[in-house]
Amino acid sequence: MPLVLCVDEKSQIQALDRTQPLLPMRPGQVERRTHDYARHGTTSLFAALDVKTGNVIGEFHRRHRSAEFRKFLDTLDQAIPPALDAHLSLDNYGTHKTAVIRRWLAKRPRFHVHFTPTSASWINLVERWFAALTEKQIRRGVHRSVRELETAIKQYLALTNQSPKPFVWTKTADEILASVARFYARTSETGH
């Protein structure tokens, strides 16, 4: 039985601390915040979202290279039962295609890689999970260190896995392609 995982990295996540606290909201007034902040370092999150269950496997690394991606593949190899074939949906980022990664995959024939088309990483559902993470945990947060930031992300990851829900496309492929065609027709016309 195959397992389908959407895999990607959210690199250079900044641990930000606003120089002033969020300004209070009142009825009819949107949240306000200052434009300046103190930056306390960055981390990169490597994540794999199980398409069927919505579970997410995540791991932090300070750098974002093929060496770190290979370490994450080792984590996946250990987390996935040996009897399962693993189909990985990846974008075309260079770290996913290096000789180190190709050798790793060649030694593990149960792993099958499927690349999203160039400039279409939005198809990869883990990107939607990254967006939810940003909206619900990172954007409004105050993180005075990388450790605080990683702790907040780990909490969101644990919450996700406590009650996982798979993402479901609400439109058919034909509806999506028709929408893209309409957008292209609208934006490519020069009026001449």
Side-chain angles (χ1 to χ4, degrees):
M1 173 170 212
L3 175 69
V4 179
L5 298 172
C6 293
V7 180
D8 205 354
E9 309 88 23
K10 185 167 180 63
S11 62
Q12 301 295 310
I13 307 169
Q14 298 183 61
L16 300 178
D17 180 11
R18 298 271 170 199
T19 56
Q20 298 291 321
L22 291 177
L23 301 172
M25 295 187 298
R26 293 182 292 227
Q29 182 179 36
V30 298
E31 175 185 271
R32 299 170 296 157
R33 59 183 119 185
T34 60
H35 67 283
D36 54 340
Y37 54 84
R39 186 171 176 251
H40 297 289
T42 63
T43 191
S44 292
L45 173 64
F46 290 71
L49 180 133
D50 182 333
V51 172
K52 184 176 180 182
T53 67
N55 269 336
V56 179
I57 299 169
E59 181 174 282
F60 297 101
H61 290 280
R62 293 289 181 253
R63 300 186 69 184
H64 179 235
R65 304 170 302 172
S66 62
E68 288 77 20
F69 182 61
R70 193 201 55 75
K71 289 177 186 175
F72 184 59
L73 288 175
D74 287 339
T75 298
L76 294 179
D77 194 23
Q78 292 172 358
I80 299 168
L84 291 179
D85 275 359
H87 290 262
L88 308 179
S89 174
L90 299 164
D91 63 17
N92 280 290
Y93 194 61
T95 58
H96 300 156
K97 297 178 172 185
T98 64
V100 169
I101 302 304
R102 287 194 310 270
R103 281 193 300 273
W104 189 95
L105 290 166
K107 292 177 185 175
R108 292 161 184 86
R110 73 188 187 111
F111 282 84
H112 309 275
V113 175
H114 307 276
F115 291 106
T116 59
T118 302
S119 300
S121 62
W122 58 269
I123 293 173
N124 194 335
L125 291 177
V126 75
E127 293 288 347
R128 182 63 201 111
W129 186 81
F130 285 151
L133 167 68
T134 300
E135 293 164 12
K136 296 176 181 177
Q137 191 72 7
I138 297 173
R139 183 172 291 135
R140 296 186 69 221
V142 172
H143 307 103
R144 293 178 183 89
S145 69
V146 171
R147 182 177 295 197
E148 278 187 24
L149 172 63
E150 288 179 347
T151 298
I153 293 171
K154 284 177 189 174
Q155 289 170 347
Y156 186 78
L157 184 60
L159 188 64
T160 296
N161 289 334
Q162 199 172 51
S163 180
K165 293 176 183 62
F167 291 104
V168 179
W169 292 106
T170 58
K171 292 189 176 193
T172 67
D174 289 337
E175 289 172 323
I176 293 169
L177 292 173
S179 175
V180 169
R182 285 190 307 274
F183 175 77
Y184 177 75
R186 194 174 62 247
T187 60
S188 66
E189 294 177 9
T190 60
H192 297 287

